[in-house]
Amino acid sequence: MALSLLAASCLWASCGNEEKADVDFSEFEVSMSAPLDKAPDAPACKIDMTVAYASADDSVGIKINKQIAAMLFDMQGLSLRQAADSFASSYTHDYVDYLTPFYKVDRSDPSKRPWYEYWYKLGTEVRHEKAGTVAYIATREYFEGGAHSIKTQTVTNFDCSTGNAIRLADVFVPGYERQLTDLLLQALKEKAGAADIDALRDKGYLCSSDMHVSTNFILGNDAITFVYNIYEIAPYETGTTELTIGYDDIDNLLKK
């Protein structure tokens, strides 16, 4: 228990050389295309993914990669590369299996072709900002025949010394929610140029949800950035919303 508490405290205060621990990452790519029939111009589902992974085959690297596989592909018991390949195969197989009967009916109508052009893109970014931690940011965008594509961002911060994912409860003291929510609401008003909640709603924010602390956050060197995907606090047209709060402004909320 004492060691666990020490490790947690090292995130926010100097702790000898431990806070300088780092994790190296490499990348691999997965590309796949599955047409709906054998015609040269048949619509297809195209997948393009670039996946960053912890390079070292040690306990920390293995733990981080297992969590990335679960985060990106909801898969357990497979290596990260196996999980990526399995996801791509399953996604394209389901596309062909489900849409082929409909496409046979619509094949003669060129106006309906865009309905069948599916694609899925995944990009990943690794940020080494706060000493002793690494932020893993995954950006997905996919199109499945609707009015527009859907884009989401998922963030997991890892403790470089243990490989454990860092949760809000690891960062903040109990009872932090109300004060932090108020600070985030103020940051949103400033970002949107809105004087109050009514003005925010006039701009499309918080029309169907209340302000809350996002579990998607990036630990920076001097601040923490909270990431809100489309529809969480704003409409599709607004895109991803990022709100940054300096550590100095939440010092009383941080675990010491």
Side-chain angles (χ1 to χ4, degrees), residues 1 19 24 33 67 81 102 118 124 136 151 168 197 204 216 218 221:
M1 178 63 74
E19 71 168 36
D24 292 326
S33 180
Q67 292 173 93
R81 181 58 190 254
F102 298 99
Y118 281 29
T124 55
Y136 189 99
K151 186 176 183 179
L168 287 171
I197 190 69
N216 263 352
I218 303 168
N221 188 45

Short mmCIF file of all heavy atoms in Angstrom, two decimals, residues 1 19 24 33 67 81 102 118 124 136 151 168 197 204 216 218 221:
data_model
loop_
_atom_site.label_atom_id
_atom_site.label_comp_id
_atom_site.label_asym_id
_atom_site.label_seq_id
_atom_site.Cartn_x
_atom_site.Cartn_y
_atom_site.Cartn_z
N MET A 1 0.83 -1.21 0.00
CA MET A 1 0.00 0.00 0.00
C MET A 1 0.86 1.26 0.00
O MET A 1 0.61 2.21 -0.71
CB MET A 1 -0.91 0.00 1.22
CG MET A 1 -1.79 1.25 1.33
SD MET A 1 -2.94 1.42 -0.05
CE MET A 1 -4.12 0.15 0.40
N GLU A 19 10.20 10.14 -11.71
CA GLU A 19 9.30 10.92 -12.53
C GLU A 19 9.85 11.11 -13.94
O GLU A 19 9.12 11.51 -14.84
CB GLU A 19 9.00 12.27 -11.90
CG GLU A 19 10.16 13.24 -11.94
CD GLU A 19 9.72 14.64 -11.57
OE1 GLU A 19 8.85 14.79 -10.70
OE2 GLU A 19 10.26 15.58 -12.17
N ASP A 24 8.98 4.27 -24.76
CA ASP A 24 9.15 4.49 -26.19
C ASP A 24 8.03 3.78 -26.97
O ASP A 24 7.57 2.70 -26.59
CB ASP A 24 10.50 3.95 -26.67
CG ASP A 24 11.66 4.75 -26.11
OD1 ASP A 24 11.51 5.97 -25.93
OD2 ASP A 24 12.72 4.16 -25.84
N SER A 33 -9.33 -3.50 -47.82
CA SER A 33 -10.46 -3.07 -48.64
C SER A 33 -11.28 -4.30 -49.01
O SER A 33 -10.74 -5.31 -49.46
CB SER A 33 -9.97 -2.37 -49.91
OG SER A 33 -11.05 -1.95 -50.71
N GLN A 67 -3.83 -2.79 -22.70
CA GLN A 67 -4.86 -1.79 -22.45
C GLN A 67 -5.22 -1.04 -23.73
O GLN A 67 -6.39 -0.67 -23.94
CB GLN A 67 -4.39 -0.83 -21.36
CG GLN A 67 -4.28 -1.48 -19.99
CD GLN A 67 -3.64 -0.57 -18.96
OE1 GLN A 67 -4.31 0.15 -18.24
NE2 GLN A 67 -2.31 -0.61 -18.89
N ARG A 81 -1.29 -6.13 -32.35
CA ARG A 81 -1.35 -6.31 -33.80
C ARG A 81 -2.44 -7.32 -34.17
O ARG A 81 -3.19 -7.12 -35.14
CB ARG A 81 0.01 -6.78 -34.33
CG ARG A 81 0.06 -6.98 -35.85
CD ARG A 81 -0.31 -5.70 -36.59
NE ARG A 81 -0.51 -5.86 -38.00
CZ ARG A 81 0.36 -5.46 -38.93
NH1 ARG A 81 1.49 -4.88 -38.57
NH2 ARG A 81 0.08 -5.61 -40.20
N PHE A 102 -28.64 -5.96 -50.14
CA PHE A 102 -29.24 -4.67 -50.50
C PHE A 102 -28.60 -4.12 -51.78
O PHE A 102 -29.29 -3.53 -52.63
CB PHE A 102 -29.07 -3.67 -49.36
CG PHE A 102 -29.76 -4.07 -48.09
CD1 PHE A 102 -29.05 -4.67 -47.05
CD2 PHE A 102 -31.12 -3.88 -47.94
CE1 PHE A 102 -29.69 -5.04 -45.88
CE2 PHE A 102 -31.77 -4.24 -46.76
CZ PHE A 102 -31.05 -4.83 -45.74
N TYR A 118 -18.29 2.61 -47.61
CA TYR A 118 -17.94 2.73 -46.20
C TYR A 118 -16.43 2.94 -46.04
O TYR A 118 -15.64 2.47 -46.86
CB TYR A 118 -18.33 1.46 -45.44
CG TYR A 118 -19.79 1.33 -45.07
CD1 TYR A 118 -20.79 1.91 -45.84
CD2 TYR A 118 -20.16 0.63 -43.93
CE1 TYR A 118 -22.13 1.77 -45.50
CE2 TYR A 118 -21.51 0.49 -43.58
CZ TYR A 118 -22.48 1.06 -44.37
OH TYR A 118 -23.80 0.92 -44.03
N THR A 124 -3.32 7.44 -34.30
CA THR A 124 -2.94 7.51 -32.90
C THR A 124 -1.77 8.47 -32.71
O THR A 124 -0.92 8.62 -33.60
CB THR A 124 -2.56 6.12 -32.35
OG1 THR A 124 -1.53 5.55 -33.17
CG2 THR A 124 -3.77 5.19 -32.33
N TYR A 136 -1.92 8.77 -24.54
CA TYR A 136 -2.17 8.04 -25.79
C TYR A 136 -3.51 8.51 -26.34
O TYR A 136 -4.55 8.33 -25.70
CB TYR A 136 -2.19 6.53 -25.51
CG TYR A 136 -2.23 5.66 -26.74
CD1 TYR A 136 -1.06 5.08 -27.23
CD2 TYR A 136 -3.43 5.40 -27.40
CE1 TYR A 136 -1.08 4.27 -28.35
CE2 TYR A 136 -3.45 4.59 -28.53
CZ TYR A 136 -2.28 4.03 -28.99
OH TYR A 136 -2.31 3.23 -30.12
N LYS A 151 -16.69 11.36 -36.05
CA LYS A 151 -15.30 11.45 -35.59
C LYS A 151 -15.28 11.51 -34.07
O LYS A 151 -16.01 12.29 -33.46
CB LYS A 151 -14.63 12.69 -36.17
CG LYS A 151 -13.14 12.81 -35.86
CD LYS A 151 -12.54 14.01 -36.56
CE LYS A 151 -11.05 14.13 -36.33
NZ LYS A 151 -10.46 15.29 -37.04
N LEU A 168 -9.39 9.51 -13.42
CA LEU A 168 -9.67 10.76 -12.70
C LEU A 168 -9.47 10.59 -11.20
O LEU A 168 -8.96 11.49 -10.53
CB LEU A 168 -11.10 11.21 -12.99
CG LEU A 168 -11.38 11.78 -14.39
CD1 LEU A 168 -12.88 11.97 -14.59
CD2 LEU A 168 -10.63 13.09 -14.61
N ILE A 197 -25.17 30.70 -19.16
CA ILE A 197 -25.61 29.42 -19.69
C ILE A 197 -26.60 29.60 -20.83
O ILE A 197 -26.60 28.82 -21.80
CB ILE A 197 -26.22 28.55 -18.56
CG1 ILE A 197 -26.46 27.11 -19.04
CG2 ILE A 197 -27.47 29.17 -18.02
CD1 ILE A 197 -25.21 26.32 -19.30
N GLY A 204 -25.57 26.60 -29.15
CA GLY A 204 -25.66 25.16 -29.38
C GLY A 204 -25.04 24.29 -28.32
O GLY A 204 -25.12 23.06 -28.40
N ASN A 216 -12.19 11.76 -20.72
CA ASN A 216 -11.16 11.92 -21.75
C ASN A 216 -10.32 13.14 -21.38
O ASN A 216 -10.78 14.29 -21.50
CB ASN A 216 -11.80 12.17 -23.12
CG ASN A 216 -11.90 10.92 -23.96
OD1 ASN A 216 -11.37 9.87 -23.60
ND2 ASN A 216 -12.58 11.02 -25.08
N ILE A 218 -6.10 14.87 -21.08
CA ILE A 218 -4.68 14.80 -21.45
C ILE A 218 -3.87 15.49 -20.37
O ILE A 218 -4.06 16.69 -20.11
CB ILE A 218 -4.42 15.46 -22.80
CG1 ILE A 218 -5.28 14.83 -23.91
CG2 ILE A 218 -2.94 15.39 -23.17
CD1 ILE A 218 -5.28 15.62 -25.21
N ASN A 221 2.10 19.34 -19.19
CA ASN A 221 3.15 19.73 -18.27
C ASN A 221 2.65 20.75 -17.25
O ASN A 221 2.98 20.67 -16.06
CB ASN A 221 4.34 20.33 -19.05
CG ASN A 221 5.54 20.57 -18.16
OD1 ASN A 221 5.92 19.72 -17.36
ND2 ASN A 221 6.16 21.74 -18.31
#
